[in-house]
Structure formats: structure tokens, C-alpha cells
Amino acid sequence: MRKTNLARILARSIDGIHLAPFEQGEIGPDLYRHACLMGLEGLVSKRRDRPYRAGRSKDWVKVKNREHPAMGRKLDDRL
């Protein structure tokens, strides 16, 4: 019901905000590969068994595309 309500709210939202469809199963490697091919910075996922909470937590996982220009900027900042 929460996803239905959110989808209804976001249907009226401004451009650039969207609800990604829920994907289940072992799609991670394929999804990551395609994100990299599309030139995206990476993927962010949340553990399905944990409730949504805004902000940083161990329930969210970010997998970065090491070929993306943002990685170079981040590495340069460390030097």
C-alpha cells in the first residue's frame, strides 16, 4: 500500500523524481553492468527486510562505477 501511495504522489511530481520499480532476485551483477554501460555513477540499494529511514545507515549499499569521472574527482581529493 505504501508503494501505491508513493507512486500516486510521485505521478504529480516534477521532472527528475521518479519511483524505480522493485526488482527481486539475483539481478545485481547485470543491473550494475548495465548501469556502468549507461555511464551512471553507480547503484544504491536498500535491504528489503529493513524499513525505510532517511540518511546514512548500514541498510543502504552504494556500489560505485570505478570508470565514472566522479571516481577520479574523489581519488584526486584524497591526494
Side-chain angles (χ1 to χ4, degrees):
M1 181 163 170
R2 227 175 78 194
K3 274 193 153 282
T4 302
N5 289 339
L6 183 59
R8 190 181 76 245
I9 292 166
L10 291 177
R12 300 181 307 237
S13 68
I14 60 173
D15 289 339
I17 299 175
H18 67 278
L19 176 64
F22 175 74
E23 298 288 346
Q24 186 173 359
E26 297 297 323
I27 65 164
D30 288 336
L31 192 60
Y32 174 72
R33 187 176 77 251
H34 285 285
C36 292
L37 289 171
M38 292 171 62
L40 300 176
E41 186 176 341
L43 297 175
V44 178
S45 301
K46 186 186 78 61
R47 288 178 43 136
R48 188 175 80 169
D49 61 335
R50 304 299 299 156
Y52 173 82
R53 287 193 179 91
R56 294 181 182 259
S57 80
K58 292 183 180 185
D59 297 335
W60 292 96
V61 178
K62 184 175 185 179
V63 182
K64 298 179 182 181
N65 173 2
R66 299 214 176 266
E67 302 299 320
H68 192 274
M71 284 299 294
R73 289 191 303 270
K74 185 67 175 174
L75 293 174
D76 289 345
D77 290 345
R78 291 185 202 165
L79 298 176

